[in-house]
Amino acid sequence: ERPEGVGLEETLQAIVEGRRRKGLLRRLTVRGPGSADFASNDYLGLAMDPQLARDIDAEMATFRQEQQKLTGEVGLGSTGSRLLTGNSRYYEATEEMLSEFHGSESALIFNSGFDANFALFAYLPQPGDIVVFDELVHASVRAGLP
Protein backbone atom coordinates (compact mmCIF):
# COMPACT_ATOMS: atom_id res chain seq x y z
CA GLU A 1 0.00 0.00 0.00
CA ARG A 2 1.23 3.46 -0.89
CA PRO A 3 1.62 6.08 1.87
CA GLU A 4 -0.61 9.10 1.37
CA GLY A 5 1.03 11.91 -0.56
CA VAL A 6 3.64 9.66 -2.14
CA GLY A 7 3.34 9.22 -5.90
CA LEU A 8 3.24 5.96 -7.75
CA GLU A 9 6.63 6.54 -9.37
CA GLU A 10 8.31 7.17 -6.01
CA THR A 11 6.68 4.07 -4.54
CA LEU A 12 7.86 1.89 -7.42
CA GLN A 13 11.38 3.36 -7.23
CA ALA A 14 11.51 2.54 -3.50
CA ILE A 15 10.40 -1.04 -4.18
CA VAL A 16 13.06 -1.46 -6.89
CA GLU A 17 15.74 0.01 -4.61
CA GLY A 18 14.70 -2.35 -1.80
CA ARG A 19 15.02 -5.32 -4.13
CA ARG A 20 18.41 -4.07 -5.30
CA ARG A 21 19.69 -3.81 -1.69
CA LYS A 22 18.50 -7.35 -0.94
CA GLY A 23 20.08 -8.74 -4.10
CA LEU A 24 16.65 -9.64 -5.50
CA LEU A 25 16.66 -7.38 -8.54
CA ARG A 26 16.61 -9.56 -11.62
CA ARG A 27 17.75 -8.70 -15.13
CA LEU A 28 17.53 -10.34 -18.52
CA THR A 29 20.64 -12.01 -19.89
CA VAL A 30 21.44 -13.84 -23.10
CA ARG A 31 23.03 -17.25 -22.74
CA GLY A 32 26.31 -17.55 -24.60
CA PRO A 33 26.99 -20.24 -27.19
CA GLY A 34 28.02 -23.57 -25.69
CA SER A 35 27.05 -22.60 -22.14
CA ALA A 36 25.15 -25.03 -19.94
CA ASP A 37 21.50 -24.33 -19.15
CA PHE A 38 20.51 -25.51 -15.68
CA ALA A 39 17.55 -23.18 -15.18
CA SER A 40 15.07 -23.70 -18.02
CA ASN A 41 12.49 -26.25 -19.02
CA ASP A 42 14.73 -27.44 -21.86
CA TYR A 43 15.83 -30.52 -19.89
CA LEU A 44 16.99 -32.43 -22.95
CA GLY A 45 18.64 -29.51 -24.76
CA LEU A 46 16.26 -29.84 -27.71
CA ALA A 47 15.67 -26.10 -28.04
CA MET A 48 19.26 -25.58 -29.17
CA ASP A 49 19.61 -28.66 -31.38
CA PRO A 50 20.39 -27.54 -34.97
CA GLN A 51 19.24 -30.79 -36.61
CA LEU A 52 15.91 -30.67 -34.78
CA ALA A 53 15.48 -27.04 -35.89
CA ARG A 54 16.06 -28.05 -39.52
CA ASP A 55 13.64 -30.98 -39.20
CA ILE A 56 10.95 -28.72 -37.73
CA ASP A 57 11.48 -26.13 -40.48
CA ALA A 58 11.08 -28.84 -43.14
CA GLU A 59 7.97 -30.26 -41.46
CA MET A 60 6.39 -26.81 -41.16
CA ALA A 61 7.11 -26.07 -44.84
CA THR A 62 5.35 -29.33 -45.79
CA PHE A 63 2.45 -28.48 -43.48
CA ARG A 64 2.07 -24.98 -45.00
CA GLN A 65 2.04 -26.45 -48.53
CA GLU A 66 -0.61 -29.01 -47.58
CA GLN A 67 -2.69 -26.33 -45.82
CA GLN A 68 -2.57 -24.15 -48.89
CA LYS A 69 -3.77 -27.03 -51.09
CA LEU A 70 -6.61 -27.89 -48.68
CA THR A 71 -7.77 -24.46 -47.56
CA GLY A 72 -6.04 -21.88 -49.73
CA GLU A 73 -4.43 -20.46 -46.57
CA VAL A 74 -0.77 -20.56 -45.57
CA GLY A 75 -0.89 -19.05 -42.08
CA LEU A 76 0.71 -20.45 -38.96
CA GLY A 77 -0.71 -20.90 -35.51
CA SER A 78 -4.05 -21.99 -34.20
CA THR A 79 -5.55 -18.47 -34.16
CA GLY A 80 -7.35 -19.38 -30.97
CA SER A 81 -8.57 -22.14 -28.72
CA ARG A 82 -8.66 -25.53 -30.41
CA LEU A 83 -12.18 -26.03 -29.12
CA LEU A 84 -13.49 -22.90 -30.84
CA THR A 85 -11.46 -22.15 -33.97
CA GLY A 86 -7.91 -23.41 -33.58
CA ASN A 87 -8.09 -27.13 -34.28
CA SER A 88 -6.37 -28.53 -37.36
CA ARG A 89 -5.89 -31.82 -39.17
CA TYR A 90 -2.22 -31.56 -38.18
CA TYR A 91 -3.06 -31.62 -34.45
CA GLU A 92 -5.40 -34.58 -34.96
CA ALA A 93 -2.86 -36.52 -37.04
CA THR A 94 -0.16 -35.87 -34.43
CA GLU A 95 -2.45 -37.06 -31.62
CA GLU A 96 -3.30 -40.19 -33.62
CA MET A 97 0.41 -40.88 -34.20
CA LEU A 98 1.10 -40.43 -30.47
CA SER A 99 -1.72 -42.77 -29.44
CA GLU A 100 -0.50 -45.44 -31.87
CA PHE A 101 3.08 -45.04 -30.65
CA HIS A 102 2.03 -45.46 -27.02
CA GLY A 103 -0.60 -48.12 -27.73
CA SER A 104 -3.33 -46.01 -26.17
CA GLU A 105 -6.94 -45.38 -27.12
CA SER A 106 -6.26 -41.70 -27.80
CA ALA A 107 -3.89 -38.81 -27.08
CA LEU A 108 -4.41 -35.14 -26.35
CA ILE A 109 -1.79 -32.45 -26.91
CA PHE A 110 -1.61 -29.63 -24.36
CA ASN A 111 0.23 -26.40 -25.02
CA SER A 112 2.27 -26.71 -21.82
CA GLY A 113 3.02 -29.00 -18.90
CA PHE A 114 1.27 -26.50 -16.64
CA ASP A 115 -1.95 -26.83 -18.65
CA ALA A 116 -1.68 -30.62 -18.71
CA ASN A 117 -1.25 -30.84 -14.93
CA PHE A 118 -3.98 -28.27 -14.33
CA ALA A 119 -6.46 -30.20 -16.49
CA LEU A 120 -5.55 -33.57 -15.01
CA PHE A 121 -5.89 -32.43 -11.40
CA ALA A 122 -9.01 -30.36 -12.08
CA TYR A 123 -10.95 -33.31 -13.52
CA LEU A 124 -9.41 -36.62 -12.44
CA PRO A 125 -9.94 -36.48 -8.65
CA GLN A 126 -13.59 -37.04 -7.79
CA PRO A 127 -15.54 -35.78 -4.76
CA GLY A 128 -14.33 -37.71 -1.74
CA ASP A 129 -10.91 -38.51 -3.25
CA ILE A 130 -7.82 -37.51 -1.32
CA VAL A 131 -4.82 -36.09 -3.18
CA VAL A 132 -1.60 -36.18 -1.16
CA PHE A 133 1.24 -33.81 -2.09
CA ASP A 134 4.06 -31.98 -0.35
CA GLU A 135 5.27 -28.38 -0.36
CA LEU A 136 7.48 -29.03 -3.39
CA VAL A 137 4.61 -29.96 -5.73
CA HIS A 138 4.44 -27.77 -8.83
CA ALA A 139 2.04 -24.83 -8.77
CA SER A 140 0.15 -26.35 -11.72
CA VAL A 141 -1.01 -29.23 -9.52
CA ARG A 142 -2.22 -26.89 -6.78
CA ALA A 143 -3.97 -24.69 -9.34
CA GLY A 144 -5.87 -27.66 -10.73
CA LEU A 145 -7.12 -28.97 -7.43
CA PRO A 146 -10.58 -27.74 -6.44
Side-chain angles (χ1 to χ4, degrees):
E1 194 168 300
R2 197 167 63 216
E4 194 170 322
V6 176
L8 177 61
E9 187 172 343
E10 292 86 4
T11 301
L12 293 176
Q13 288 293 344
I15 291 169
V16 168
E17 187 53 40
R19 286 180 156 265
R20 188 183 332 274
R21 280 194 307 273
K22 294 176 183 174
L24 299 175
L25 191 60
R26 297 173 66 178
R27 60 187 172 88
L28 295 174
T29 59
V30 176
R31 185 168 48 127
S35 62
D37 179 5
F38 296 108
S40 78
N41 293 327
D42 186 22
Y43 309 116
L44 302 176
L46 298 177
M48 303 304 280
D49 184 277
Q51 182 59 52
L52 181 61
R54 287 189 294 274
D55 292 347
I56 290 171
D57 287 344
E59 180 67 21
M60 290 308 300
T62 301
F63 169 70
R64 285 191 303 272
Q65 289 170 356
E66 291 175 2
Q67 275 296 105
Q68 187 172 22
K69 287 177 192 173
L70 290 171
T71 67
E73 299 173 359
V74 293
L76 291 174
S78 66
T79 70
S81 162
R82 283 184 68 193
L83 185 61
L84 299 178
T85 62
N87 197 29
S88 71
R89 289 185 183 95
Y90 194 79
Y91 262 119
E92 292 177 350
T94 303
E95 288 171 340
E96 185 176 319
M97 180 270 303
L98 288 169
S99 72
E100 288 173 9
F101 179 82
H102 290 286
S104 64
E105 182 178 322
S106 62
L108 181 61
I109 296 174
F110 287 87
N111 65 327
S112 72
F114 189 103
D115 286 338
N117 278 345
F118 180 89
L120 178 77
F121 286 97
Y123 295 102
L124 188 63
Q126 297 298 303
D129 288 351
I130 297 173
V131 178
V132 178
F133 59 90
D134 66 12
E135 68 275 2
L136 299 177
V137 70
H138 194 271
S140 58
V141 173
R142 290 180 194 235
L145 291 170

